[in-house]
Amino acid sequence: MDMSQHSISGLFEQLGLDGTRSGIYHFVKEHNIPDDVTIDEASFWSASQASFLKDSLESDGDWSEIVDQLDAMLRK
């Protein structure tokens, strides 16, 4: 069992994005998810990123809590 703690920075890196504080800030500032769209359906994800997000939420896996945090950050 993986007992490591995941972070928002780690999630960004898992998604192939800049996981630095500045990178996260700029990504969140430039992207927004409408209320009627789930995080994995947002138009700015690649197919593999969307699949990872969807799988993480559906399986209620290790990353699900951090994906929920990112979802909240992207809803302004």
Side-chain angles (χ1 to χ4, degrees), residues 2-58:
D2 180 11
M3 298 300 288
S4 62
Q5 292 290 326
H6 295 300
S7 65
I8 194 72
S9 177
L11 177 59
F12 269 68
E13 292 169 4
Q14 183 73 23
L15 293 169
L17 301 170
D18 181 355
T20 64
R21 179 179 224 147
S22 174
I24 294 167
Y25 171 81
H26 289 292
F27 184 88
V28 170
K29 186 175 179 181
E30 295 172 8
H31 297 87
N32 185 37
I33 301 175
D35 290 338
D36 61 340
V37 175
T38 61
I39 188 169
D40 59 291
E41 295 173 330
S43 62
F44 47 83
W45 302 121
S46 69
S48 62
Q49 289 170 325
S51 178
F52 176 81
L53 294 168
K54 183 176 182 176
D55 291 346
S56 294
L57 292 173
E58 287 180 349

Side-chain angles (χ1 to χ4, degrees), residues 59-71:
S59 69
D60 197 24
D62 294 341
W63 289 103
S64 63
E65 190 173 316
I66 304 301
V67 171
D68 285 340
Q69 181 182 346
L70 177 59
D71 188 10

